[in-house]
């Protein structure tokens, strides 16, 4: 869902209970309570609680919470980045029973010296990554003397001290470069290391840079796209929307299409708009978005909307047909009191199955957040129903954008699906993040964690107090989150300058279906 839609729905979706006597846990003075905030049933608060929201009318309205673990879980491997010097994030280890190898790795440069010998020896290079499913090569910039063999190993091969050859680097005094093709039978998801084998007659190698690069330039970038949530933009100002989209180099717009009695309300107007847009090289896709669609009682009416779009396309001439339909549901926006978080994924997949059946052969796309990358089971099942995904990769740092996109682009390659990567350019209001730390029993705090009506709740107090029926947390500090890490709203030109770089990188995945830009206009 667009951030503008979220801002509209948020007041209705917040899980802050009204502060009246019935909602306040027993033993707590309602006059001292600013807010009561129910936690998800599977929440496990520890020493620290972060609350984010805005101060309004003397109350801190909470929009979200974070429960950091006292002992953070080990970081899972991330995708190996494209275009970056991998040596800056790698560790090295020499090997060989003849102990004829010395090596230094410093400031992104590797130096190896090998004495002559007959037994295998060399350097292992490891890093906190897995290899993505992109069409990429390993590129090395080097100098030295000798012929060094390059190898790669996945978990299976590394466990038995095996490896696959990638090629030979013949080093000379001058700076040179080599492109090494990854072995097709290498399990990229369990990549463990690269190996540099020393020549038997010895040698020296200085590796100035090691990067992962697209194997070939993309034949042409996929079309960019954007959302037009206000239906009047195409219904009343369609020509202006088309002119603007064409001037921005956009190849697709997502529009909301009103329905009436189970059918497209104005099929002639929609057909005329689609034809005019198509004549300018702009495709049109119908978009729907409401978190409540995930509720079982909403599956049937939601499916009816998909059937209405499919029926419209079936009756329209090719030039007037919608390119597809997109559903932006975002079940996590529903409060736990409306839908148990433990059921969100199941209900979402049930909805996806119903929409797939209703859509028939019409392309069906779902909008998902980048942090769903860890929901492997959900994404695996979603591949049965979706023709593609639009990933809300709402970050402004290029490295983060690429890192968060890679798992979904890999998913697209694995399942033969198309994947758009979406960036945000709309305004985001600044919010305050407050940091609460648990205090000793009997000490005063500003936040009470207690049980009420069968679940855990946070009780935000007007003034520090001490309560025995739960754990107390004291406010330790706060900071303002201004949205600059999430949206390009303050510098849309920077986003436009960044797009070619991202498109070049993402073009290495055959699943890449283009960049989607929210609130570009």
């Amino acid at each position: 869902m667009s951030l503008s839609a979220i801002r509209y729905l948020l007041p209705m979706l917040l899980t802050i209970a009204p502060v009246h006597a019935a909602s306040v846990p027993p033993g707590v003075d309602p006059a001292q309570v600013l807010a009561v905030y129910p936690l998800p049933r599977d929440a496990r608060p520890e020493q620290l609680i972060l609350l984010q929201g805005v101060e309004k009318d003397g109350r801190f309205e909470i929009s979200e919470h974070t429960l950091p673990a006292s002992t953070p879980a080990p970081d899972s491997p991330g995708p190996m980045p494209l275009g970056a010097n991998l040596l800056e994030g790698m560790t090295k280890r020499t090997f060989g029973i003849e102990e004829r190898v010395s090596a230094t790795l410093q400031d992104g440069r590797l130096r190896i010296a090998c004495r002559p010998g007959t037994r295998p020896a060399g350097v292992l290079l490891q890093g906190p990554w897995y290899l993505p499913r992109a069409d990429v090569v390993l590129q090395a910039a080097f100098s030295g003397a000798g012929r060094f063999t390059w190898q790669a190993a996945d978990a299976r091969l590394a466990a038995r001290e095996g490896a696959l050859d990638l090629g030979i680097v013949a080093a000379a005094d001058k700076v040179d470069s080599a492109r090494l093709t990854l072995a097709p039978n290498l399990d990229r998801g369990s990549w463990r290391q690269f190996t540099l084998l020393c020549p038997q007659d010895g040698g020296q190698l200085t590796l100035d840079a090691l990067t992962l690069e697209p194997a070939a330039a993309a034949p042409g970038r996929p079309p960019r796209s954007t959302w037009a949530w206000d239906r009047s933009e195409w219904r009343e100002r369609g020509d202006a929307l088309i002119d603007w989209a064409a001037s921005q180099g956009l190849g697709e717009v997502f529009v909301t299409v009103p329905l009436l009695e189970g059918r497209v309300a104005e099929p002639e107007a929609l057909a005329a708009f689609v034809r005019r847009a198509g004549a300018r090289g702009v495709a049109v896709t119908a978009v729907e978005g409401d978190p409540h669609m995930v509720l079982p009682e909403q599956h049937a009416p939601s499916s009816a909307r998909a059937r209405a779009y499919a029926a419209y396309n079936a009756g329209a001439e090719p030039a007037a047909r919608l390119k597809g339909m997109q559903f932006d549901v975002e079940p996590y926006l529903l409060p736990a009191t409306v839908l148990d978080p433990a059921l969100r994924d199941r209900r979402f997949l049930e909805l996806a199955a119903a929409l797939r059946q209703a859509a028939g052969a019409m392309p069906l796309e779902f909008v998902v957040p980048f942090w769903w990358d860890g929901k492997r089971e959900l994404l695996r099942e979603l591949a049965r129903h979706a023709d593609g995904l639009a990933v809300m990769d709402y970050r402004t740092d290029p490295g983060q954008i690429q890192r968060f996109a890679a798992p979904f682009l890999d998913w697209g390659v694995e399942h033969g699906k198309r994947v758009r990567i979406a960036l945000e350019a709309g305004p985001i209001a600044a919010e305050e993040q407050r940091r609460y730390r648990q205090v000793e029993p009997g000490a005063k705090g500003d936040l009470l964690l207690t049980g009420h009506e069968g679940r855990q709740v946070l009780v935000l107090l007007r003034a520090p107090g001490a309560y025995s029926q739960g754990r107390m947390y004291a406010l330790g500090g706060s900071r303002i989150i201004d949205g600059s890490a999430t949206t390009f709203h303050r510098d849309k030109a920077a986003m436009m300058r960044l797009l070619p770089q991202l498109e070049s990188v993402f073009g290495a995945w055959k699943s890449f279906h283009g960049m989607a830009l929210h609130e570009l206009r």
Side-chain angles (χ1 to χ4, degrees), residues 355-409:
L355 291 174
R356 175 74 278 168
Q357 183 176 13
M362 193 170 174
L364 174 63
E365 180 174 287
F366 292 92
V367 178
V368 300
F370 72 82
W371 46 267
W372 272 16
D373 65 326
K375 292 181 173 288
R376 297 183 179 181
E377 183 177 350
L378 181 147
L379 292 173
R380 184 172 57 251
E381 289 298 309
L382 188 56
R384 299 172 52 196
H385 313 303
D387 293 296
L389 300 179
V391 181
M392 293 183 291
D393 197 352
Y394 290 172
R395 288 295 183 268
T396 56
D397 176 76
Q400 287 189 334
I401 294 171
Q402 294 180 34
R403 185 163 65 253
F404 296 155
F408 294 93
L409 294 166

Side-chain angles (χ1 to χ4, degrees), residues 227-264:
W227 286 265
W229 287 97
D230 186 348
R231 68 188 62 176
S232 66
E233 288 196 64
W234 73 265
R235 185 61 188 90
E236 300 172 15
R237 301 181 295 278
D239 288 339
L241 176 60
I242 294 169
D243 288 344
W244 171 79
S247 72
Q248 295 294 318
L250 300 174
E252 188 170 354
V253 292
F254 312 117
V255 303
T256 56
V257 178
L259 304 180
L260 180 63
E261 297 179 352
R263 299 181 179 181
V264 170

Side-chain angles (χ1 to χ4, degrees), residues 77-130:
M80 190 175 289
L82 275 65
N85 183 7
L86 301 174
L87 295 174
E88 295 180 355
M90 285 183 145
T91 59
K92 55 86 180 169
R93 179 168 65 87
T94 61
F95 67 92
I97 62 173
E98 295 174 317
E99 297 184 353
R100 61 188 181 96
V101 186
S102 62
T104 60
L105 177 56
Q106 187 174 5
D107 299 328
R109 176 177 289 182
L110 174 68
R111 292 182 173 89
I112 305 173
C114 303
R115 297 191 305 275
T118 59
R119 305 298 294 272
V123 176
L124 299 178
L125 293 174
Q126 299 172 319
W129 309 299
Y130 62 85

Side-chain angles (χ1 to χ4, degrees), residues 397-471:
D397 176 76
Q400 287 189 334
I401 294 171
Q402 294 180 34
R403 185 163 65 253
F404 296 155
F408 294 93
L409 294 166
D410 280 354
W411 172 90
V413 172
E414 180 183 3
H415 297 285
K417 307 295 182 179
R418 61 176 190 247
V419 177
R420 305 180 205 264
I421 304 301
L423 303 180
E424 175 61 59
I428 298 179
E431 290 193 332
E432 180 184 2
Q433 185 186 77
R434 296 184 178 181
R435 185 182 187 93
Y436 296 86
R437 185 170 294 278
Q438 186 176 355
V439 299
E440 296 294 329
K444 290 185 177 181
D446 310 273
L447 183 69
L448 168 65
L449 169 66
T450 188
H452 184 48
E453 298 180 347
R455 66 185 310 164
Q456 296 181 96
V457 296
L458 297 175
V459 182
L460 190 60
L461 303 172
R462 296 184 182 276
Y467 292 92
S468 60
Q469 65 266 47
R471 295 182 349 218

Side-chain angles (χ1 to χ4, degrees), residues 140-151:
F142 60 90
S143 61
R147 292 171 59 84
F148 288 76
T149 300
W150 280 79
Q151 297 178 328

